[in-house]
Amino acid sequence: MKLTSTQNGGKLTLAIAGELDHHEARALCVEMEERIEEVLPRDCVLDLKELRFMDSSGIAVILKVYKHMNALGGRLTVRNVPDQPLRVLDASGIDRMIEITAGEPD
Amino acid sequence: MKELNSMRLEFPSRSANEGFARAAVAAFASQLDMTLTELGDVKTAVSEAVTNCIVHAYPDMIGTVHMRVRIVDPETLEIQVKDKGRGIEDVERAREPLFTTGGEDRSGMGFTIMESFMDEVKVRSKPGVGTAVTMRKKIEKRRPVR
Ligand SMILES: Nc1ncnc2c1ncn2[C@@H]1O[C@H](COP(=O)(O)OP(=O)(O)OP(=O)(O)O)[C@@H](O)[C@H]1O
Ligand SMILES: [Mg+2]
């Protein structure tokens, strides 16, 4: 599991690579929260292009980041979601709360 | 149902084994010549069931997770994940979407995901004794196992 963060003005992009399961979730969450606290972005983008696998542990992680961004009055979008994580997100109904796009960012 | 092939796997409930369990089942299932989507569904369901043993069945200890994977005629993959842990008081309630005893770290979607990704999910559980989850997925018109 690898996290790469890029800041561009008020926009923070967090790119997650690898497999996101219960084993990886806690450390990843801590790292992402730290980045958000440092930058205090208006827009946070989770880029999942290199995410090879995700299960329900990932849903909890994304929800936490979503709540964090809400508390800051900011916005979260999830981008470049590969097929397997997308099926998990669809089954969870999380797409009713969070903007999720399978394709490339605009 | 006639059994065509099977394997068993048993490991301590350490979270590092979640990825191992997914990969092992995927390697065994590869003889069924599944689509990538089917394989992804199976790995996801395995991950959910195994994580539940690690998180809920053995919350403060390392126990043993038992898996049995079978290929049964006609072209069905059957996966059983079993623990001798805490057990579930009310299985029907536990299977409801969003129900969780796991707090902030869990979303309560594990059983819902298993149900939507597999064709059949059976849960047997007894408090203080353990839980067995048996899942089946029919693999569409693939070449037969030899
Ligand atoms: N093997 C098990 N042993 C004991 N309790 C279990 C077991 N599996 C599930 N449960 C109970 O059933 C509940 C629902 O399980 P489910 O997998 O649907 O959600 P979760 O594990 O709480 O959250 P998520 O899977 O989304 O991370 C759990 O919170 C737990 O109380
Ligand atoms: Mg679960």
Side-chain angles (χ1 to χ4, degrees):
Chain A
M1 185 107 270
K2 198 176 130 223
L3 180 72
T4 312
S5 62
T6 327
Q7 188 189 351
N8 187 349
K11 180 170 151 186
L12 176 68
T13 303
L14 299 169
I16 305 171
E19 306 203 351
L20 172 46
D21 60 8
H22 158 253
H23 182 63
E24 302 281 358
R26 181 147 312 158
L28 177 72
C29 228
V30 168
E31 227 184 306
M32 292 202 294
E33 306 270 87
E34 276 172 10
R35 287 304 292 147
I36 292 172
E37 278 305 308
E38 265 167 44
V39 174
L40 298 175
R42 228 178 323 105
D43 270 303
C44 182
V45 177
L46 278 189
D47 183 347
L48 303 189
K49 190 171 182 188
E50 303 294 329
L51 187 67
R52 290 198 316 272
F53 177 86
M54 185 187 100
D55 63 16
S56 65
S57 305
I59 300 169
V61 169
I62 294 174
L63 275 175
K64 266 193 200 166
V65 175
Y66 171 73
K67 284 181 191 156
H68 196 161
M69 286 307 298
N70 258 358
L72 293 176
R75 224 165 63 99
L76 175 73
T77 45
V78 183
R79 288 250 158 94
N80 296 330
V81 190
D83 185 59
Q84 187 276 337
L86 190 61
R87 284 174 66 76
V88 171
L89 291 173
D90 281 349
S92 77
I94 202 180
D95 51 328
R96 270 170 275 152
M97 292 167 74
I98 302 174
E99 192 188 320
I100 294 169
T101 56
E104 295 288 324
D106 35 71
Chain B
M1 277 203 225
K2 192 176 155 232
E3 181 181 298
L4 300 174
N5 200 359
S6 70
M7 69 96 150
R8 281 172 190 271
L9 201 63
E10 166 180 312
F11 49 85
S13 60
R14 300 187 185 282
S15 61
N17 288 326
E18 291 157 6
F20 165 68
R22 293 194 296 271
V25 173
F28 180 75
S30 67
Q31 61 195 286
L32 273 169
D33 195 25
M34 297 193 274
T35 63
L36 273 182
T37 303
E38 285 168 338
L39 198 60
D41 288 357
V42 166
K43 284 169 86 168
T44 313
V46 166
S47 202
E48 296 301 343
V50 168
T51 301
N52 278 353
C53 299
I54 292 169
V55 173
H56 303 297
Y58 306 116
D60 311 305
M61 61 177 287
I62 298 295
T64 304
V65 180
H66 305 262
M67 291 187 73
R68 187 193 66 193
V69 186
R70 303 200 304 157
I71 295 170
V72 291
D73 209 20
E75 269 99 67
T76 300
L77 188 67
E78 182 195 85
I79 301 162
Q80 184 178 72
V81 179
K82 209 162 72 176
D83 65 69
K84 295 185 172 133
R86 205 176 51 182
I88 303 173
E89 207 74 57
D90 184 344
V91 169
E92 214 178 307
R93 185 142 176 257
R95 292 177 73 143
E96 280 170 18
L98 302 176
F99 176 84
T100 183
T101 56
E104 268 266 282
D105 287 340
R106 315 260 42 107
S107 61
M109 290 307 293
F111 279 129
T112 305
I113 288 171
M114 290 182 243
E115 282 165 8
S116 69
F117 286 13
M118 302 293 278
D119 295 320
E120 203 185 314
V121 179
K122 265 190 217 148
V123 183
R124 276 190 307 129
S125 189
K126 209 171 165 186
V129 177
T131 302
V133 175
T134 309
M135 309 180 276
R136 290 213 179 100
K137 190 175 183 70
K138 184 138 176 36
I139 307 305
E140 295 304 330
K141 52 171 175 31
R142 301 289 144 190
R143 75 168 125 79
V145 181
R146 273 159 296 157

